[in-house]
Amino acid sequence: MTTEKDHEFFMRKAINWAAKGSKTEGGGAFGALIVKDGSIIAEGHNQVGAKTDCTQHAELAMIQEACTKMGSKSLKGCVLYTSCEPCLMCLGTTRWAELDQVFYGASAADAKEAGYIYSDLFYNSHTGKRHAEFKLKQLLRNEAVAVWNS
């Protein structure tokens, strides 16, 4: 059984990936990892600036990597830890991947304040309903936001 301390450990790893991405040419200040049964399956940061692929957000890239490694389009039994609340594209992907839970650090409102603007559709959706439907839980917000201020 995963404890709150375990969740914080994995979330800090995602936040560390965000910090690494912010300092990497072509990287981005967003990190994510996928965990199954206490083992990391995939981990990394946003690669949009390094590739000619605007879909390479940290969450989506790690879901793709985990699916490849597991040989399945389903990530049932897995948890996503991401340094920031996922955008609509990444949220949709978490649903199709059938992840058990998504933990995020900074909120979409925090991202907007830092200059990372999501869509009006996202901001106008009901936060509580979105969080319930996509099994989102915030964790270590201040540590995640600090990456953008360093």
Side-chain angles (χ1 to χ4, degrees):
M1 173 124 177
T2 309
T3 67
E4 188 72 16
K5 191 173 182 177
D6 294 326
H7 291 308
E8 288 178 1
F9 171 80
F10 291 124
M11 179 55 75
R12 282 192 177 98
K13 287 187 92 47
I15 293 167
N16 287 338
W17 274 108
K20 181 178 179 182
S22 72
K23 294 171 177 65
T24 302
E25 173 118 15
F30 299 88
L33 54 110
I34 298 192
V35 175
K36 183 171 183 163
D37 299 326
S39 296
I40 297 172
I41 306 298
E43 60 185 323
H45 56 75
N46 180 307
Q47 292 288 318
V48 171
K51 300 180 179 185
T52 55
D53 185 349
C54 62
T55 69
Q56 290 306 289
H57 291 193
E59 302 93 334
L60 185 54
M62 294 313 106
I63 288 170
Q64 291 169 338
E65 184 177 324
C67 286
T68 298
K69 285 182 177 177
M70 294 178 64
S72 174
K73 65 181 181 176
S74 174
L75 296 178
K76 284 184 181 175
C78 294
V79 175
L80 170 66
Y81 297 87
T82 178
S83 63
C84 187
E85 186 173 359
C87 70
L88 285 174
M89 174 182 69
C90 294
L91 273 178
T93 305
T94 67
R95 175 68 157 277
W96 293 114
E98 303 177 302
L99 289 159
D100 287 3
Q101 178 84 53
V102 177
F103 288 91
Y104 69 94
S107 70
D110 295 325
K112 186 175 187 178
E113 190 172 309
Y116 302 104
I117 311 297
Y118 293 20
S119 71
D120 286 339
L121 178 65
F122 184 94
Y123 293 119
N124 292 330
S125 68
H126 187 279
T127 302
K129 289 180 181 178
R130 185 174 67 245
H131 287 190
E133 181 176 350
F134 292 95
K135 301 174 260 182
L136 299 171
K137 183 175 179 186
Q138 191 170 33
L139 188 64
L140 304 179
R141 175 196 173 267
N142 293 340
E143 291 179 38
V145 171
V147 169
W148 299 327
N149 300 321
S150 58

